[in-house]
Amino acid sequence: MGCGGSVFSGTTQGIDRSVVEQIVRQVALEYLGRPANGVSPAPELTVLASARHMHICREDMDILFGKGSELTVYKDLYQVGNFAANEKVTIIGPRSRLISNLRILGPMRKQSQIELAFTDAISLGIDAPVRLSGNIADTPGAIIMGPKGSLELKQGIIRAAIHVHMNPAEAALFGVKQGDLMKLKVGGPAGITFDKVHVRIDPTSRLNVHMDTDEANACGLHLTKDIELIK
Ligand SMILES: [Zn+2]
């Protein structure tokens, strides 16, 4: 995605492009409530590893946990309103291989979905495609067992694509839009640069990269704070 040889050298209707970029940056920084003098070049980046989990719809909740049952909060997550629930299920793959204690993340969603790392999917014998959360057409399913019943999930098992949550002001600061891909450069002794970090913009979001446990282990996420998000 290079810009040819004209980076910053052109003009936009007489205004130097670097001046425009500086103004955009300044506005974004002021919106974020940070000094616009370049002391704080970017909002603090939080990178979190998501362990395998399930998102559940009302209908499946009724079957697995009983009619009208509700998720209860075990722990609040970084994104406001999201939480790890006390409720857990067992996922059963082909040839009866299973993973128990699969935690549900709340709140409930319109459709059920299970996010596994490749290691989990391999141990279950399920070929999980890499998808953004919510995009589950033509994905594999499995048998799900809860304390009050079980069901056949027809589809919804994915390996979640690595992504970054941000609000519109943060997106302006990075100069990215919904669906763009960014790079995440992880330093440290096992450092890796991820090239396909999907941008997900929402007004309620806090700047936060989500990767799964395979990705976190591969780059030694726990070993370093030297992490950079690059357009
Ligand atoms: Zn996420």
Side-chain angles (χ1 to χ4, degrees):
M1 276 178 275
C3 309
S6 63
V7 184
F8 298 145
S9 63
T11 57
T12 307
Q13 292 177 341
I15 304 168
D16 191 285
R17 197 180 294 173
S18 64
V19 174
V20 175
E21 296 206 343
Q22 197 186 332
I23 293 167
V24 170
R25 183 184 166 82
Q26 204 158 339
V27 168
L29 284 167
E30 279 164 10
Y31 185 84
L32 287 164
R34 288 163 194 278
N37 57 9
V39 172
S40 301
E44 197 187 338
L45 176 65
T46 304
V47 181
L48 298 171
S50 302
R52 57 179 178 255
H53 61 269
M54 178 176 190
H55 296 284
I56 195 167
C57 68
R58 177 71 262 172
E59 190 187 359
D60 292 348
M61 187 80 195
D62 285 344
I63 296 167
L64 298 172
F65 292 91
K67 188 97 189 134
S69 56
E70 295 291 340
L71 293 172
T72 58
V73 178
Y74 167 69
K75 207 173 82 168
D76 284 317
L77 299 178
Y78 190 76
Q79 295 297 339
V80 175
N82 293 355
F83 61 93
N86 289 303
E87 289 69 26
K88 295 172 184 173
V89 296
T90 296
I91 175 172
I92 305 165
R95 297 182 295 286
S96 299
R97 288 189 273 175
L98 58 82
I99 292 176
S100 57
N101 293 316
L102 180 73
R103 195 177 290 280
I104 296 174
L105 300 191
M108 276 186 241
R109 290 192 178 181
K110 285 210 175 70
Q111 53 186 5
S112 293
Q113 170 180 308
I114 291 175
E115 297 177 34
L116 302 175
F118 275 150
T119 304
D120 304 322
I122 289 163
S123 81
L124 283 169
I126 293 172
D127 186 13
V130 178
R131 294 285 183 88
L132 278 176
S133 185
N135 177 15
I136 59 166
D138 302 317
T139 57
I143 302 292
I144 312 298
M145 218 166 64
K148 293 284 171 62
S150 59
L151 58 83
E152 186 193 350
L153 191 68
K154 299 272 191 247
Q155 60 177 17
I157 299 178
I158 61 169
R159 192 256 175 110
I162 183 171
H163 58 277
V164 57
H165 296 280
M166 61 177 72
N167 62 45
E170 290 160 343
L173 185 63
F174 284 110
V176 295
K177 57 185 192 309
Q178 188 81 285
D180 278 0
L181 293 175
M182 297 182 77
K183 291 179 170 57
L184 185 77
K185 191 175 175 186
V186 181
I192 290 176
T193 298
F194 295 90
D195 285 336
K196 293 182 177 172
V197 181
H198 296 255
V199 174
R200 309 200 72 170
I201 303 168
D202 188 279
T204 66
S205 287
R206 304 167 67 185
L207 184 65
N208 171 217
V209 171
H210 278 160
M211 63 173 65
D212 69 17
T213 47
D214 280 357
E215 289 159 336
N217 290 336
C219 72
L221 184 63
H222 63 296
L223 300 175
T224 183
K225 286 190 161 37
D226 174 20
I227 304 176
E228 206 182 342
L229 186 64
I230 311 159
K231 187 185 171 182

